[in-house]
Amino acid sequence: MRGFNSWSGRRRRTVAGAGAAIAVIAGFTAYNVASGDEGRPPRVDFVLGGGDDIYAKDDKQAIRGSYAGLAAAPDGTVTLFAQENDGMVMWQRRPSGAVKRTGITGMDSVTAEQAAVSPDGSVYLAAKDLWKVTPTGKAAKVVKGGCEKLDARTAASTFCTGRITGVAVAEDGSVYFGDQVVWGDVASYVHKVEGDRVELVAGRPPRDDEPYSRSNPAVQNGIDPAPGTKAGDVLVTDVFNSGWLALGKDGLYWRTGEGIVRIKDDGTLSPLVAASAPGRIAEAKGPFESVGRARDAEIPRPSSTGRVGDLTLLSGRDEVYYTDAHGAYKPSLDSAYRWQGASSATQKKLLEESSRGKLVHRVADGELSSVIAGVQAIAGSDDALYAAVEGRPDDAGKDPEDLSTAVVRVELPD
């Protein structure tokens, strides 16, 4: 396997982990309801959508349609996919503030679990299949999902897996995707696409009668790998809570269910979230306040809402951000986690009518904290965190354009 030394990113401090114990979620909920105005609420700035005019060119611009995908490039270009009545569209905002809307051809009614920007400006979407959308809006399927077992032939055109959930793109254009088999021999993997070839990077299938519990060293090493554990030797079985990727100069981060591991240049794993001692994780008292050592934390399984997690890396800040989908929250306007920064009536209305969303966590210098609640997805550039929010009025029907979608930049501590 080619090393990761071609990946972009500034020189990083050691990131010790990312994760959230169920105690963190419970503590967040209680504090969000009862704590009033204590703590410093997160501030957001709207960068796409939030207005009331679909034809406007400034902060009055509205984006109609349901949320379908979010990605951010290292330079801060933000891409939002939305589903409209007549098909999917791609909205992009450049660092200059220029906004462009592009209709998508060849792909419709797709919601990405994760998206990533290629150096050539194309965007890859992990949405059961792996899609590539060019800057002109032309979509094509790169790798197929929907198969009942892993068909591990090396040609991308014939490779097939069960479900593709994560994607990350390297500086040299190589594409890494997280995928899983959800029938029979359940397991999660990481593969790499280079040209027309697919290569296994991490994960293996279960052996006959092999246990799926953490008493199995192969399962335990997928969450809390022992020194020298090879990426291809672990069995990741929590498939509906795994598969998301983020890349940095020091390796590829892989969400493996209860934990997050880093695949290093030499093909071995190191723990990021390891569920080492979840009982040591304290209750959250406010945004960006440490609740303990991230390596001790455990990521809870998602609830039955159909939401999935996210994973992103801000290489310029040496920080990992992720969401968990165990609970569902609305952006709050009257608590310690209220979304400050909505300045116009339409922005405030969007937040008040928003769909319930996920809870975001940060890992910085090995410490874990909660950040903001009620997001549909997150994506990171070199030094900025973006979140998508979807407005869904009570009287919204099945028409996608009854909904509105926006992207905010979350203000981060210095």
Side-chain angles (χ1 to χ4, degrees):
M1 179 178 69
R2 178 181 296 181
F4 301 134
N5 54 10
S6 64
W7 292 357
S8 61
R10 300 177 187 173
R11 189 171 183 174
R12 296 176 49 81
R13 300 188 299 272
T14 300
V15 178
I22 294 177
V24 175
I25 309 302
F28 174 88
T29 304
Y31 188 74
N32 194 29
V33 171
S35 66
D37 291 330
E38 297 175 13
R40 183 186 177 191
R43 180 179 178 84
V44 301
D45 296 310
F46 281 76
V47 298
L48 274 172
D52 57 1
D53 184 352
I54 61 174
Y55 301 106
K57 300 296 183 182
D58 51 20
D59 59 1
K60 295 181 177 60
Q61 186 175 62
I63 296 177
R64 301 300 182 201
S66 58
Y67 168 79
L70 178 68
D75 69 354
T77 297
V78 180
T79 302
L80 171 70
F81 291 87
Q83 181 70 44
E84 297 181 350
N85 285 338
D86 296 331
M88 291 189 68
V89 296
M90 177 173 65
W91 292 86
Q92 291 183 305
R93 185 184 189 275
R94 304 292 180 186
S96 65
V99 175
K100 181 181 180 182
R101 176 188 179 279
T102 305
I104 306 298
T105 59
M107 182 180 72
D108 192 26
S109 299
V110 163
T111 300
E113 294 195 22
Q114 195 172 29
V117 182
S118 174
D120 68 1
S122 299
V123 184
Y124 288 84
L125 292 87
K128 189 184 79 172
D129 306 296
L130 181 64
W131 294 86
K132 178 181 179 180
V133 180
T134 69
T136 61
K138 184 177 180 180
K141 193 179 296 185
V142 179
V143 180
K144 293 181 293 185
C147 292
E148 293 189 6
K149 61 181 180 179
L150 187 68
D151 186 352
R153 288 176 286 184
T154 58
S157 58
T158 55
F159 179 94
C160 190
T161 186
R163 178 169 167 261
I164 296 175
T165 56
V167 62
V169 184
E171 190 177 47
D172 66 359
S174 298
V175 179
Y176 296 81
F177 64 90
D179 63 294
Q180 49 198 232
V181 173
V182 296
W183 303 275
D185 292 336
V186 171
S188 188
Y189 305 88
V190 178
H191 286 89
K192 174 183 177 181
V193 181
E194 191 169 17
D196 188 45
R197 295 184 61 81
V198 175
E199 175 186 342
L200 178 65
V201 174
R204 68 163 175 81
R207 301 187 177 104
D208 290 344
D209 301 320
E210 184 174 13
Y212 279 20
S213 67
R214 289 183 64 173
S215 62
N216 179 351
V219 175
Q220 170 69 10
N221 281 333
I223 299 167
D224 187 8
T229 298
K230 294 182 180 179
D233 289 343
V234 297
L235 175 61
V236 175
T237 60
D238 192 0
V239 293
F240 293 106
N241 196 30
S242 65
W244 304 288
L245 306 175
L247 59 84
K249 187 176 181 180
D250 60 352
L252 178 67
Y253 296 85
W254 178 28
R255 172 83 170 266
T256 57
E258 296 174 335
I260 299 171
V261 299
R262 177 168 60 94
I263 307 171
K264 299 188 290 186
D265 182 67
D266 62 1
T268 62
L269 301 179
S270 63
L272 291 163
V273 179
S276 297
R280 295 180 181 175
I281 299 298
E283 292 188 356
K285 295 182 178 180
F288 299 106
E289 293 187 16
S290 175
V291 295
R293 193 177 70 147
R295 184 169 173 177
D296 287 333
E298 179 180 28
I299 303 175
R301 292 188 175 185
S303 65
S304 59
T305 60
R307 295 177 179 86
V308 295
D310 301 275
L311 180 64
T312 195
L313 174 70
L314 277 58
S315 58
R317 293 176 58 95
D318 299 330
E319 296 172 352
V320 171
Y321 288 81
Y322 75 97
T323 66
D324 72 66
H326 182 73
Y329 309 89
K330 287 181 69 69
S332 176
L333 299 174
D334 59 0
S335 74
Y337 286 85
R338 64 187 180 272
W339 287 34
Q340 290 187 322
S343 57
S344 69
T346 53
Q347 290 174 355
K348 293 176 182 178
K349 185 173 185 290
L350 188 151
L351 296 185
E352 290 169 352
E353 297 180 340
S354 66
S355 304
R356 292 187 177 273
K358 296 171 284 189
L359 179 60
V360 181
H361 303 275
R362 178 183 76 154
V363 176
D365 293 325
E367 294 294 309
L368 176 69
S369 60
S370 55
V371 175
I372 192 170
V375 309
Q376 297 303 306
I378 57 172
S381 65
D382 186 55
D383 60 0
L385 177 69
Y386 300 93
V389 59
E390 180 186 76
R392 183 181 292 270
D394 291 338
D395 59 353
K398 296 183 179 180
D399 187 338
E401 293 182 24
D402 287 345
L403 281 60
S404 57
T405 306
V407 178
V408 299
R409 176 171 174 163
V410 182
E411 184 178 283
L412 305 175
D414 294 333

